[in-house]
């Protein structure tokens, strides 16, 4: 089953913020270019971001919760700290818009892990009418929102030696597909496959605790969607690939005995 053509995302900092969440329709997907964003600075007067993103980045100490601030402070390199801070401010800005609330008032929680039941499953906002996921790589952050569980992944294209090494752990059919391609086409095909796989595994909440060889998602121009899910590629910038996975709506079961 193909996920169809790639999704064209909104661009946070360029496109208007969304309105309150309305159920129905495809996932809402956003990209944020992290290059040049320096939320760790004191004033960010030269911030390369439009309002309200620029204002939110300048107010990041108030907007992020204590756990996020602690995580940001733990990064050794300023670049990694700035990327983490900007992507999480962006997430809160979008959630605040969809939930019609101050981004600082968004309370993030973790759903139970589907494997062990521990409190480290998918991120969520308790009681919210939407699901979300965040991914970032290099200078890009990817955000996805949907009515049902959703996973997102963005990756930079990897050099040929990395592709050759990691391709061995994919589904056997995916490994064979890559081997059949001309060498110059493999990095892009591998990136398509890996982002689809990561998006699906993040959506299920299992992450890479499931071996990448188990589920087939394909390396070609259209993704193969696992049962119960819809995979879609996302239009990114040159040098990157991105994908989202959304759980298909389920028909509620009648209570036992009816």
């Amino acid at each position: 089953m193909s996920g169809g053509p790639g999704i064209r995302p909104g661009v946070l900092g360029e496109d208007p913020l969304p309105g309150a969440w309305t159920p129905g329709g495809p996932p809402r997907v956003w990209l944020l270019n992290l290059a040049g964003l320096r939320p760790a600075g004191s004033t960010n007067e030269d911030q390369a971001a439009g309002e309200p993103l620029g204002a939110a980045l300048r107010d990041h100490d108030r907007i992020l919760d204590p756990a996020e601030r602690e995580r940001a402070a733990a990064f050794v390199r300023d670049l990694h700290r700035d990327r983490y801070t900007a992507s999480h401010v962006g997430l809160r800005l979008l959630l605040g818009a969809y939930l019609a609330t101050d981004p600082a008032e968004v309370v993030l929680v973790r759903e139970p892990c589907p494997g062990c039941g521990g409190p480290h499953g998918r991120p969520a906002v308790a009681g919210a009418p939407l699901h979300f996921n965040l991914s970032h790589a290099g200078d890009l952050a990817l955000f996805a929102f949907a009515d049902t569980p959703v996973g997102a992944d963005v990756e930079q294209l990897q050099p040929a030696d990395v592709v050759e090494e990691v391709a061995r752990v994919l589904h056997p059919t995916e490994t064979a597909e890559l081997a059949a391609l001309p060498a110059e086409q493999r990095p892009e095909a591998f990136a398509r496959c890996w982002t689809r796989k990561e998006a699906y595994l993040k959506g299920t909440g299992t992450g890479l605790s499931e071996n990448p060889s188990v589920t087939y998602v394909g390396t070609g121009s259209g993704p193969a969607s696992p049962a119960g899910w819809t995979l879609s590629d996302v239009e990114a910038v040159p040098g990157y690939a991105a994908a989202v996975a959304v759980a298909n709506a389920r028909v509620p079961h009648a209570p036992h005995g009816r």
Side-chain angles (χ1 to χ4, degrees), residues 196-223:
R196 295 166 184 171
K197 199 173 294 281
E198 281 261 30
Y200 166 67
L201 294 175
K202 289 175 69 179
T204 63
T206 58
L208 288 178
S209 62
E210 178 185 308
N211 193 298
S213 67
V214 172
T215 302
Y216 175 78
V217 297
T219 66
S221 58

Side-chain angles (χ1 to χ4, degrees), residues 13 37 43-44 47-60 89 93:
L37 301 184
T43 63
N44 288 319
Q47 186 65 258
E51 302 294 342
L53 176 60
L57 289 169
R58 290 189 289 273
D59 202 21
H60 67 276
V89 166
L93 192 62

Side-chain angles (χ1 to χ4, degrees), residues 14-91:
E14 297 180 13
D15 296 329
L17 285 176
W21 184 260
T22 54
R28 283 72 147 181
V29 181
W30 294 79
L31 276 177
L32 171 60
N33 189 339
L34 303 170
L37 301 184
R38 297 181 179 86
S42 57
T43 63
N44 288 319
E45 291 179 354
D46 60 345
Q47 186 65 258
E51 302 294 342
L53 176 60
L57 289 169
R58 290 189 289 273
D59 202 21
H60 67 276
D61 274 338
R62 183 189 70 85
I63 290 176
L64 298 182
D65 67 22
E68 290 169 314
R69 293 195 296 270
E70 181 179 357
R71 176 73 184 277
F75 286 101
V76 174
R77 295 185 59 191
D78 288 346
L79 174 63
H80 297 155
R81 183 182 306 112
D82 289 346
R83 284 173 172 172
Y84 174 88
T85 300
S87 61
H88 281 254
V89 166
L91 172 64

Side-chain angles (χ1 to χ4, degrees), residues 75-198:
F75 286 101
V76 174
R77 295 185 59 191
D78 288 346
L79 174 63
H80 297 155
R81 183 182 306 112
D82 289 346
R83 284 173 172 172
Y84 174 88
T85 300
S87 61
H88 281 254
V89 166
L91 172 64
R92 286 179 165 276
L93 192 62
L94 288 167
L95 283 171
Y98 282 129
L99 300 175
T101 191
D102 185 331
E105 299 299 318
V106 173
V107 179
L108 300 177
V109 298
R110 286 280 182 176
E111 296 179 349
C113 171
C116 68
H120 48 261
R122 288 185 298 259
V125 179
L130 76 167
H131 298 257
F132 70 89
N133 206 236
L134 159 66
S135 175
H136 58 85
D139 285 333
L140 286 185
L142 175 69
F143 312 91
F145 306 84
D147 295 326
T148 56
V150 60
D153 192 58
V154 60
E155 302 283 348
Q156 291 179 283
L157 269 60
Q158 298 298 312
D161 59 334
V162 174
V163 171
E164 182 179 359
E165 180 69 24
V166 182
R168 301 170 187 171
V169 307
L170 299 177
H171 188 282
T173 303
E174 294 163 349
T175 301
E177 289 173 356
L178 289 172
L181 290 174
E184 66 274 11
Q185 295 181 19
R186 291 175 193 160
E188 186 173 355
F190 171 81
R192 285 196 299 265
C193 178
W194 192 259
T195 55
R196 295 166 184 171
K197 199 173 294 281
E198 281 261 30

